Amino acid sequence: MTALLIVSAVICLVGEYLDSAILVYVGKPLATIAVLLLAARSPTPVSARYRALIGAGLVCSLAGDVFLMLPSDQFIAGLTSFLVAHLCYIAAFAGNGGGLRDPKAAAVFIVALGMLTVLWPTLGALRLPVVVYVSVIATMAWQAIARWRRLGSTDAATAAAGATVFLVSDSTLALRKFRGDFPASALVVLGTYWVAQWCIAQSVTSRRNP
């Protein structure tokens, strides 16, 4: 599945830079489907509940991918899909070692606040939904990091890495949308997005440190 993810991601990125809608429409959802199958086919999941919640989050992410790549402006629909995806991830992390046990991990909210400060002047009517979304993704990263600090397992570290990279990806996407595009934006946004989702999917497989 990882090979399928890489091939699909390359197809999508080529489509982005060649302005080929067909390549994007094929590559983008196929890459997320590959990540979803990676999580679903884990032979030794952390728990059935954890796998189900991560799987649900990936399904919502797939819906978000489709909404955001459509030619019509479906930004709010895409934002909502990813919002639900992050809520699924929060439920997975908080129910498996996260929760309110590690206030130090909540330092991630400082990063979120900084991003909102940069975006605020250009958000206009989207201020409320963007604040809600940023709060949720910051909570997701907080719970993943708190879970890793508490459990110390390799799978928890993988999830924390994925959540952190997801924050980077969404921050770059927001900067591109609200502050202006830049030449490598597609590579940075999509590359970090798939790395993040791959890490979160890999975290479904239980890996204890020796």
Side-chain angles (χ1 to χ4, degrees):
M1 288 302 110
T2 299
L4 177 60
L5 166 62
I6 294 172
V7 171
S8 303
V10 170
I11 290 173
C12 179
L13 286 169
V14 169
E16 287 280 353
Y17 284 102
L18 294 181
D19 200 22
S20 171
I22 293 177
L23 291 179
V24 174
Y25 287 176
V26 171
K28 193 172 186 181
L30 190 57
T32 306
I33 289 172
V35 178
L36 175 59
L37 292 175
L38 186 68
R41 296 175 61 184
S42 171
T44 55
V46 171
S47 70
R49 178 182 179 277
Y50 186 87
R51 174 160 59 182
L53 287 168
I54 296 298
L58 288 168
V59 169
C60 292
S61 297
L62 177 59
D65 286 339
V66 173
F67 281 126
L68 292 180
M69 74 181 182
L70 293 176
S72 57
D73 187 4
Q74 299 292 331
F75 180 74
I76 293 298
L79 193 73
T80 302
S81 298
F82 280 110
L83 180 71
V84 177
H86 292 314
L87 290 173
C88 291
Y89 293 158
I90 289 170
F93 302 148
N96 189 253
L100 300 175
R101 300 177 181 88
D102 192 350
K104 290 182 180 179
V108 71
F109 283 98
I110 297 174
V111 177
L113 181 60
M115 180 55 58
L116 276 176
T117 301
V118 171
L119 297 175
W120 195 257
T122 59
L123 292 179
L126 292 176
R127 282 179 174 175
L128 179 58
V130 170
V131 167
V132 171
Y133 184 84
V134 170
S135 299
V136 169
I137 192 171
T139 300
M140 187 268 291
W142 168 37
Q143 289 304 293
I145 295 169
R147 175 174 174 263
W148 165 54
R149 284 168 56 86
R150 180 167 185 260
L151 299 181
S153 60
T154 302
D155 54 83
T158 304
T164 303
V165 175
F166 217 137
L167 190 59
V168 173
S169 178
D170 277 1
S171 296
T172 308
L173 177 63
L175 288 172
R176 182 175 71 173
K177 180 172 179 60
F178 297 109
R179 301 293 292 185
D181 203 356
F182 56 95
S185 63
L187 178 61
V188 175
V189 171
L190 292 174
T192 52
Y193 169 67
W194 283 316
V195 167
Q197 294 283 40
W198 181 85
C199 287
I200 290 173
Q202 287 280 20
S203 78
V204 169
T205 300
S206 178
R207 295 181 178 89
R208 301 297 173 184
N209 292 334

